[in-house]
Amino acid sequence: MSIHWYPGHMHKAQKEIKELLPQVDLLIEVLDARIPYSSENPAIATLRGDKPCIKVLSKSDLADPDVTAMWQEYLEQERGVKTFTTTTEQPQKMKQIIDLCRKMLPEKDASIKTINTMICGIPNVGKSTLINILADRIVAKTGNEPAVTKAQQRINLGSGIILFDTPGILWPKVENPQSSYRLATTGAIKDTAMEYDDVGFFAADYLIKAYPELLKERFKLKHIPDTEIEFLELAAAKRGALRAGGRVNLHKICEVLVNEFRSGKLGRISLETPDMVEKEEADMAAAELKKSAEKALRKERFKTGSLTRDKKAQKEHRIERVQRRSKEKQARNK
């Protein structure tokens, strides 16, 4: 699945973030606790360099607590990164982020210097809600859909801390296809830019493997089938998501499944783990390596098309060497 939704204001926001970063002392990146990897904008990771960063895992009350703990440990292995879990039901806890900003910059805490922070994150991760709580007033629009904030703001949080707000931004191409599905499942993109049937099948396939008991309890099923289509058929019968003649209304039952996941009615669920995404990244790297090797091979074959037999043999030897090195590099990456 590919995300084809990259509004013009997002492109502008990414350019503004790049221009503003030299003035920033610390980044606050808001991630969805259910998908910390997929909701992390790779452009932000590249742009921030070695600046300290607080990764706020929002909506942690919707995520699997054991998996969230794994993510905190994993993310904090990176130098200069601290994690912070929060929910909209914990406004007092959210305010602790201000103290954490000062602790991460002790050289400024001991002086009268202002700390310039920037908050960023993909759409619909609760960034605006967090800003309003930190500021103790309504300064950012909130909404239960992505891309509500469309302009940059400069907010004085008091205590010598200035916060630059930026619109939620996706990126033009999501490299990991699984991340595309996860972003769509959690509601990071507009529903008009996705197909409920497509996303529902992804969600059903993952949930029957990772959280079968939660599905069993929520949909009042005696057993969980092995395939997503079988599960959706049973769930549709339980919820009355049927067309004339008793046929399953796949769009409706997929919409029910996705919306109940988003609201937390299915239970506390995480869609990815550190081990899972490390394997996916290794698979993507191997696929890219194979693609590069095949391209090099085609190029070599094209060049040898009109050569003498001896020169062809030399070229073939070089091709074999390229392939061997690619395989060795692939094995090392594993």
Side-chain angles (χ1 to χ4, degrees), residues 1-286:
M1 173 184 173
S2 296
I3 293 176
H4 300 292
W5 187 63
Y6 190 63
H9 77 270
M10 291 190 182
H11 176 75
K12 180 184 176 183
Q14 188 158 313
K15 183 179 178 181
E16 290 176 349
I17 289 173
K18 187 175 181 179
E19 293 173 350
L20 188 60
L21 267 174
Q23 306 173 40
V24 173
D25 301 306
L26 179 145
L27 260 69
I28 300 172
E29 185 174 14
V30 186
L31 307 175
D32 188 322
R34 298 167 295 180
I35 52 168
Y37 166 80
S38 296
S39 60
E40 181 180 40
N41 190 332
I44 298 298
T46 302
L47 292 172
R48 82 173 179 89
D50 59 355
K51 289 184 185 292
C53 181
I54 300 173
K55 293 184 183 288
V56 179
L57 302 180
S58 70
K59 305 185 181 183
S60 59
D61 55 329
L62 301 177
D64 185 325
D66 292 334
V67 177
T68 298
M70 293 180 198
W71 275 112
Q72 288 190 268
E73 182 180 356
Y74 181 81
L75 292 171
E76 290 189 359
Q77 290 175 11
E78 185 179 354
R79 184 180 177 183
V81 171
K82 294 292 183 183
T83 60
F84 190 92
T85 61
T86 187
T87 76
T88 55
E89 305 301 319
Q90 300 174 309
Q92 291 306 314
K93 183 180 179 183
M94 285 186 182
K95 291 183 179 180
Q96 294 174 17
I97 291 175
I98 293 177
D99 293 331
L100 184 56
C101 289
R102 291 208 163 276
K103 287 179 181 178
M104 292 184 71
L105 295 166
E107 70 281 2
K108 291 213 170 188
D109 191 34
S111 70
I112 59 172
K113 292 181 180 178
T114 297
I115 295 177
N116 290 320
T117 66
M118 178 190 288
I119 189 166
C120 55
I122 68 168
N124 205 27
V125 288
K127 183 166 63 70
S128 295
T129 300
L130 175 59
I131 292 170
N132 291 337
I133 290 172
L134 293 179
D136 268 332
R137 61 190 187 278
I138 304 299
V139 293
K141 291 182 180 180
T142 61
N144 192 26
E145 65 172 30
V148 173
T149 303
K150 292 182 172 64
Q152 195 177 98
Q153 298 186 80
R154 183 180 184 275
I155 304 160
N156 190 337
L157 299 181
S159 302
I161 296 180
I162 300 297
L163 179 69
F164 292 98
D165 178 23
T166 58
I169 54 173
L170 286 172
W171 45 106
K173 183 180 180 182
V174 179
E175 298 292 342
N176 187 337
Q178 300 302 312
S179 289
S180 297
Y181 280 109
R182 292 169 191 146
L183 287 165
T185 303
T186 57
I189 62 171
K190 285 182 178 290
D191 290 345
T192 53
M194 57 170 256
E195 293 291 338
Y196 265 109
D197 295 15
D198 199 19
V199 178
F201 267 73
F202 165 80
D205 179 59
Y206 175 80
L207 293 172
I208 62 178
K209 295 172 182 173
Y211 296 94
E213 292 305 314
L214 292 182
L215 288 183
K216 191 175 177 181
E217 180 180 351
R218 180 64 186 169
F219 289 92
K220 304 293 189 291
L221 300 176
K222 292 183 179 178
H223 73 284
I224 295 296
D226 296 329
T227 66
E228 65 272 35
I229 187 61
E230 290 176 301
F231 163 73
L232 290 170
E233 287 174 346
L234 290 176
K238 287 287 185 179
R239 294 297 180 85
L242 303 171
R243 299 184 186 276
R247 292 180 298 120
V248 172
N249 186 332
L250 279 177
H251 178 88
K252 184 176 180 181
I253 192 58
C254 285
E255 188 174 6
V256 167
L257 179 65
V258 171
N259 286 335
E260 292 200 356
F261 162 79
R262 291 177 181 175
S263 67
K265 290 179 180 178
L266 295 181
R268 300 184 67 174
I269 293 170
S270 294
L271 295 181
E272 59 191 19
T273 67
D275 287 345
M276 185 187 302
V277 298
E278 281 193 343
K279 182 181 184 305
E280 290 170 2
E281 285 192 331
D283 290 343
M284 286 190 296

